[in-house]
Amino acid sequence: MRNFSKFMDLMKQFKRLAELYKSTLLDNVLPFWSQHSLDRQHGGYFTCLDRVGNVYDTDKFIWLQNRQVWTYAMLYNRLEKKPEWLDVARHGAEFLAKYGRDEEGNWYFALDRTGQPLVQPYNIFSDCFAAMAFSQYALASGEKSAQEIALQAYNNVLRRQHNPKGKYSKAYPGRRSLKSLAIPMILANLSLEMDWLLEDSELETILERTVQEVMQDFRDRETGLMYENVTPEGKHLDCFDGRLINPGHGIEAMWFVMDIARRRHDLDLINQAVDVVINTLEFGWDKEYQGIYYLMDAQRHPLQQLEWDQKLWWVHLETLVALLMGFNLTGRAECLEWFEQVHNYTWNHFSDSEYGEWFGYLNCRGELLLNLKGGKWKGCFHVPRALYLCWKQLEILDSPSE
């Protein structure tokens, strides 16, 4: 009887949390962006928004423009076919299709308000988010041109993945070669986003390759941590970049891996990913002030990044997704224990119940650093995506027999 009572208490808790994540997404976060971010004069979105939604800078950053297209198109496709969501996605997609690329089809990093380029296409991440955005938008709108843009951007990523910065790289050729976790982790997630546009054999080949690279080259078998940079052979270098641990990236990569492993019914791979999540939290959790450090050194040496001890919104949100997914797939108690701890910190520090949306940047003590809701790096993506994914994971927990 005691176990049954505990089970019923858990069910009530899951139901309450599912409603919290759902209502915050639909009644708080999305209305903030729908109301404040659309540039009705020139197209695209304003992302530099202060606490109450006022625009404080009008430059348009391609990552965030594409991410907002993706968010609204994804919700239209997966949640409810609301015409207003498709309208918001179209508002950004039309601006990006017109101004986002250079003559060779590479996506810029930044534009001015009117769409004139400001920053060259110096990395492939703009192309990654363009492929994600236009894949979802094509699925939502049925526009053939959007499919073509998505595939062109995706093929750009595949073509440039081994030399992502090309002529814009500052590295001296042939010296201290390192590859970044960001490339295979985002390619794994991106390929899942593109699955309806890819041949099954192509998709499986890419997923297999990226999962193997992430789990074999970047995962350290001794510590169970995910390194941010390794040599092309998957070895460690004893230098700033070679010792770098990015807890948020490592944990986000693991829910990507879990999502792929779930498709394959590969419980061993799922448990490996959960192990990394737990190990990363034990290593990167601030035991004095709580929260997850932004950056860490694998040997706990001083870091070159002065912002290393900040607490960032996306790190905590991606962790919540990974922990709920891990618990759903394995039932491991430590996932639920960590979820409660991270949930409490996240909602107590980042959520703004007064003006909507979430803060992004705290100091190590959990005090607000920047009184903004969006900027050059924070836009309409991590908060709504995590709220949606956590809501859906909690619904599964609330209905275990389904």
Side-chain angles (χ1 to χ4, degrees), residues 107-388:
W107 288 79
Y108 296 112
F109 177 79
L111 313 172
D112 70 11
R113 181 181 178 183
T114 66
Q116 297 304 302
L118 293 175
V119 180
Q120 297 277 13
Y122 68 88
N123 209 319
I124 63 171
F125 295 117
S126 292
D127 300 76
C128 288
F129 296 120
M132 284 178 60
F134 279 88
S135 174
Q136 283 294 328
Y137 178 65
L139 193 59
S141 66
E143 294 178 14
K144 183 69 174 177
S145 60
Q147 287 189 37
E148 294 168 353
I149 291 173
L151 286 168
Q152 187 263 337
Y154 183 71
N155 288 325
N156 266 2
V157 174
L158 295 181
R159 176 174 55 84
R160 297 174 57 193
Q161 63 179 303
H162 301 299
N163 187 22
K165 293 188 177 180
K167 65 181 180 180
Y168 301 108
S169 175
K170 295 184 288 186
Y172 192 88
R175 300 282 177 82
R176 193 176 282 180
S177 296
L178 289 169
K179 62 180 182 178
S180 169
L181 171 64
I183 302 297
M185 69 171 271
I186 201 168
L187 188 56
N189 181 243
L190 171 59
S191 297
L192 285 181
E193 288 287 332
M194 298 285 295
D195 64 351
W196 72 285
L197 292 174
L198 302 177
E199 295 290 337
D200 289 345
S201 59
E202 180 184 7
L203 175 63
E204 290 305 320
T205 297
I206 293 170
L207 292 179
E208 177 65 25
R209 185 171 67 240
T210 54
V211 167
Q212 288 294 317
E213 185 175 11
V214 168
M215 300 305 286
Q216 293 187 8
D217 289 0
F218 291 92
R219 179 173 64 112
D220 183 78
R221 304 297 177 88
E222 183 176 340
T223 64
L225 298 175
M226 195 65 57
Y227 276 64
E228 189 70 6
N229 303 293
V230 296
T231 70
E233 299 77 29
K235 306 298 182 182
H236 299 317
L237 281 183
D238 189 11
C239 60
F240 279 123
D241 290 336
R243 296 190 303 266
L244 184 63
I245 305 292
N246 184 329
H249 260 177
I251 291 172
E252 183 181 16
M254 290 305 95
W255 78 251
F256 294 167
V257 169
M258 283 186 237
D259 204 22
I260 294 168
R262 176 187 56 80
R263 291 162 52 101
R264 301 175 174 177
H265 307 286
D266 188 341
L267 185 57
D268 182 59
L269 180 58
I270 292 169
N271 274 300
Q272 288 179 32
V274 171
D275 287 342
V276 172
V277 173
I278 302 303
N279 290 332
T280 303
L281 284 168
E282 291 174 349
F283 183 78
W285 185 260
D286 183 345
K287 294 175 177 60
E288 181 176 3
Y289 295 109
Q290 306 298 293
I292 306 165
Y293 287 119
Y294 178 32
L295 300 168
M296 300 286 287
D297 184 282
Q299 299 177 26
R300 299 192 182 274
H301 294 316
L303 287 94
Q304 61 179 326
Q305 295 91 347
L306 302 182
E307 69 275 19
W308 70 273
D309 65 347
Q310 290 179 14
K311 311 294 168 57
L312 270 61
W313 85 108
W314 69 267
V315 174
H316 294 76
L317 286 163
E318 298 302 324
T319 300
L320 292 173
V321 174
L323 289 168
L324 282 178
M325 189 177 293
F327 182 71
N328 254 328
L329 294 171
T330 68
R332 289 170 57 172
E334 62 262 49
C335 290
L336 204 56
E337 293 163 3
W338 270 110
F339 174 80
E340 183 178 8
Q341 192 168 348
V342 178
H343 167 90
N344 289 337
Y345 181 89
T346 302
W347 284 84
N348 287 334
H349 289 81
F350 293 103
S351 177
D352 184 359
S353 59
E354 187 173 358
Y355 292 107
E357 242 285 338
W358 288 37
F359 300 114
Y361 303 89
L362 313 175
N363 65 19
C364 68
R365 295 181 295 276
E367 300 161 343
L368 190 62
L369 268 179
L370 296 172
N371 194 21
L372 58 78
K373 297 299 171 55
K376 183 176 182 179
W377 303 106
K378 183 180 186 294
C380 182
F381 182 65
H382 285 288
V383 176
R385 181 176 74 167
L387 291 172
Y388 171 76

Side-chain angles (χ1 to χ4, degrees), residues 39-45 58 60-63 65-66 90-121 126 130 134 149 152:
D39 183 347
R40 301 291 185 183
Q41 182 176 355
H42 295 287
Y45 313 114
T58 61
K60 293 171 180 172
F61 307 99
I62 295 295
W63 290 23
Q65 298 290 309
N66 275 307
R90 180 180 294 110
H91 188 82
E94 290 179 348
F95 177 82
L96 288 163
K98 187 174 183 180
Y99 298 114
R101 296 171 288 177
D102 67 13
E103 292 181 354
E104 297 178 354
N106 299 305
W107 288 79
Y108 296 112
F109 177 79
L111 313 172
D112 70 11
R113 181 181 178 183
T114 66
Q116 297 304 302
L118 293 175
V119 180
Q120 297 277 13
S126 292
F134 279 88
I149 291 173
Q152 187 263 337

